Amino acid sequence: MDREASVALDPDPLAAREAREFVTTTVCRWGLSRRADAVPLLNTAALLTSELVTNVVLHARTHLGLSVHMTDEQLTVKVHDDDPHPPVPRGGRLDLLADIDALIERAADDPASDERTPRAAVGPAGAIGAGRGLLLVDSLADAWGVEEDRTGKAVWFRLSVA
């Protein structure tokens, strides 16, 4: 079995949900939902798809293409955008408690501050509440990578279905 499907999405806040639904519906239509281990695999595919699409919406801000390719052995999801800049994974927290303490101090100094502002970026890993998408992809996917092309790039991940 070698199947492929794709969809174009606008870079708006609904894109991540639309992408999750597309991936889940597509692979279920291809029969993946009949497997005993389908639920964890579908959940992982949906989560990682959402992370990659959210990165396009937040950082690339271009239209995006989503493609799903499934063989008997693996499921590959690829998210394309028109931004040539490669994604930059953030590092892990070195000292989460110290970073939280720094945010608390800032909030005490400026009670009107909004945690979504750049002021919430503390420590070498950036913002407390965001920026972990590629770490999730790296942790949960069997493989992932970036392919450059003439209009931008595609970030992909692969999960074993064998």
Side-chain angles (χ1 to χ4, degrees):
M1 170 184 70
D2 199 8
R3 299 182 177 194
E4 197 162 342
S6 61
V7 66
L9 299 170
D10 291 325
D12 63 45
L14 296 177
R17 186 191 81 209
E18 293 169 0
R20 285 190 306 271
E21 290 172 356
F22 177 78
V23 169
T24 302
T25 301
T26 299
V27 298
C28 283
R29 190 175 68 240
W30 292 342
L32 189 63
S33 60
R34 291 189 291 268
R35 295 170 44 113
D37 62 345
V39 171
L41 184 63
L42 289 170
N43 288 343
T44 300
L47 172 65
L48 300 185
T49 298
S50 186
E51 293 298 333
L52 295 185
V53 169
T54 298
N55 282 349
V56 173
V57 172
L58 293 177
H59 304 294
R61 299 181 179 156
T62 70
H63 283 85
L64 60 112
L66 172 66
S67 66
V68 183
H69 180 243
M70 193 166 91
T71 66
D72 289 334
E73 292 84 31
Q74 59 193 17
L75 171 69
T76 302
V77 175
K78 190 181 288 190
V79 178
H80 179 273
D81 64 60
D82 293 330
D83 181 2
H85 298 95
V88 178
R90 291 191 184 168
R93 288 269 164 223
L94 299 178
D95 189 347
L96 177 61
L97 294 178
D99 291 346
I100 291 171
D101 288 342
L103 280 179
I104 291 170
E105 280 183 36
R106 286 186 193 165
D109 292 340
D110 183 9
S113 68
D114 183 341
E115 75 257 8
R116 294 170 293 180
T117 68
R119 289 178 43 86
V122 295
I128 291 282
R132 302 297 170 272
L134 290 178
L135 290 176
L136 283 172
V137 174
D138 188 54
S139 295
L140 298 175
D142 293 321
W144 75 278
V146 181
E147 299 171 358
E148 295 178 13
D149 61 27
R150 60 180 178 77
T151 63
K153 67 182 171 301
V155 182
W156 57 270
F157 67 85
R158 190 167 293 135
L159 299 172
S160 174
V161 297

